[in-house]
């Protein structure tokens, strides 16, 4: 009897209910006609006479504990019911404050989406690079001015280790590891030792594109870039390619898009030319393919590279590069995310 009493007492202490129905079930289980405590009372007659006084006390106490517990659980339920009954469930919820996305991230993701539909995948590489991947493998002559201390941040006392000045280094890393067909875009931060102004910064972002396969031609490049420009700026946009020079492409070109402000008529932004330069491109130089152990007789490829800040400047008509890096809330807040 004693052990039964303490067992039931323990159970009562632990009891938790979440609604009135459960509470009633608990009451019936303990104090109902066939309840455990009621049962104890009917078994009481079998208790030895000399123990009746003590056991009687224990059973009575147990009954009171159960009654108290049921009362306090009921009170709790009523209080929480009251709390909820004051709620107007038809009120609209509190507005959820969306953050804004940085324009560089917005443009970057848009570029990912465009190139993903063309079958490009994303490749990344290190920001701290060696001379081979940034310059030598890309056909930069020993005395090329881009290697100059003026442009490149070298790691102190290590002339071979530097902060990459462009993401073309990643195309080399990909070609060293993968066999054609290769179709990648390589986004990332790049670093140049430039004085910071509205038009130049020592850190910015680039996306490099690379396609290597059999029979890749300049017209593939042109069509890819036209598709990209139309996806990004709309079907009305025109592109033009001007001959140019890069050590790692031959032939090389720079691509302009028609000015999205004046529609190509000429304005202050496009310096009255009607065109805005947005990227460099060309056919991957045979030397570069060979430097990466790709047979240049069998394979050809195109590459292109663009600054993300520049694209975002054109897209959102941002006039000062420094705004991207200042984290000024008034600037950032204008780029509300849809998601
Ligand atoms: N790496 C060049 C730069 O930083 C951009 C570039 C030009 C990349 C032509 C290319 C290319 O892949 O073909 O200015």
């Amino acid at each position: 009897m004693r052990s039964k009493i303490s067992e039931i007492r323990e159970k009562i202490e632990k009891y938790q209910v979440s609604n009135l129905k459960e509470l009633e079930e608990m009451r019936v289980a303990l104090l109902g006609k066939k309840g455990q405590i009621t049962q104890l009372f009917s078994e009481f007659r079998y208790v030895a006479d000399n123990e009746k006084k003590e056991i009687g006390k224990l059973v009575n106490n147990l009954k009171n504990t159960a009654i108290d517990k049921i009362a306090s659980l009921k009170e709790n339920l009523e209080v929480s019911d009251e709390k909820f009954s004051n709620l107007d469930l038809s009120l609209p919820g509190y507005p959820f404050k969306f953050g804004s996305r940085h324009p560089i991230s917005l443009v970057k993701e848009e570029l990912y989406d465009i190139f993903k539909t063309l079958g490009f995948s994303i490749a990344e590489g290190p920001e701290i690079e060696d001379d081979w991947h940034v310059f030598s493998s890309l056909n930069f002559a020993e005395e090329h001015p881009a290697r100059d201390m003026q442009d490149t941040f070298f790691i102190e006392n290590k002339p071979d280790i530097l902060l990459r000045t462009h993401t073309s280094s990643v195309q080399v890393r990909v070609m060293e590891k993968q066999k054609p067909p290769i179709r990648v875009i390589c986004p990332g931060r790049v670093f140049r030792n430039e004085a910071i102004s509205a038009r130049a910064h020592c850190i910015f972002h680039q996306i490099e594109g690379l396609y290597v396969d059999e029979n890749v031609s300049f017209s593939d490049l042109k069509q890819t870039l036209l598709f990209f420009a139309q996806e990004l700026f709309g079907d009305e946009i025109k592109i033009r390619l001007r001959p140019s020079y890069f050590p790692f492409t031959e032939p090389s070109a720079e691509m302009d898009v028609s000015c999205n402000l004046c529609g190509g008529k000429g304005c202050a932004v496009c310096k009255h030319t009607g065109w805005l330069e947005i990227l460099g491109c060309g056919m991957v130089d045979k030397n570069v393919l060979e430097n990466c152990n790709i047979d240049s007789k069998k394979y050809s490829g195109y590459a292109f590279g663009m600054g993300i800040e520049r694209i975002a400047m054109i897209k959102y008509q941002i006039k000062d590069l420094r705004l991207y890096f200042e984290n000024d809330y008034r600037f950032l807040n204008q780029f509300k995310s849809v998601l």
Side-chain angles (χ1 to χ4, degrees), residues 166 168 171 192 206 208 246 248-249 280-282 303-305:
H166 56 179
S168 303
Q171 59 158 285
R192 290 190 193 175
Q206 285 190 333
E208 178 85 9
F246 299 101
F248 36 90
T249 42
C281 60
F304 54 85

Side-chain angles (χ1 to χ4, degrees), residues 189-200:
R189 288 196 301 182
V190 299
F191 308 85
R192 290 190 193 175
N193 197 354
E194 303 239 18
I196 295 171
S197 72
R199 301 177 58 85

Side-chain angles (χ1 to χ4, degrees), residues 46-64:
Y46 304 119
V47 174
D49 280 349
N50 61 349
E51 279 197 317
K52 271 208 163 72
K53 196 172 166 203
E54 203 187 327
I55 299 277
K57 225 180 190 176
L58 286 177
V59 177
N60 271 324
N61 275 345
L62 184 68
K63 185 178 172 187
N64 289 336

Side-chain angles (χ1 to χ4, degrees), residues 26-39:
M26 166 186 170
R27 192 193 65 76
V28 172
L30 293 170
L31 302 167
K33 256 195 193 152
K34 290 183 184 152
Q36 284 174 294
I37 296 175
T38 318
Q39 209 79 35

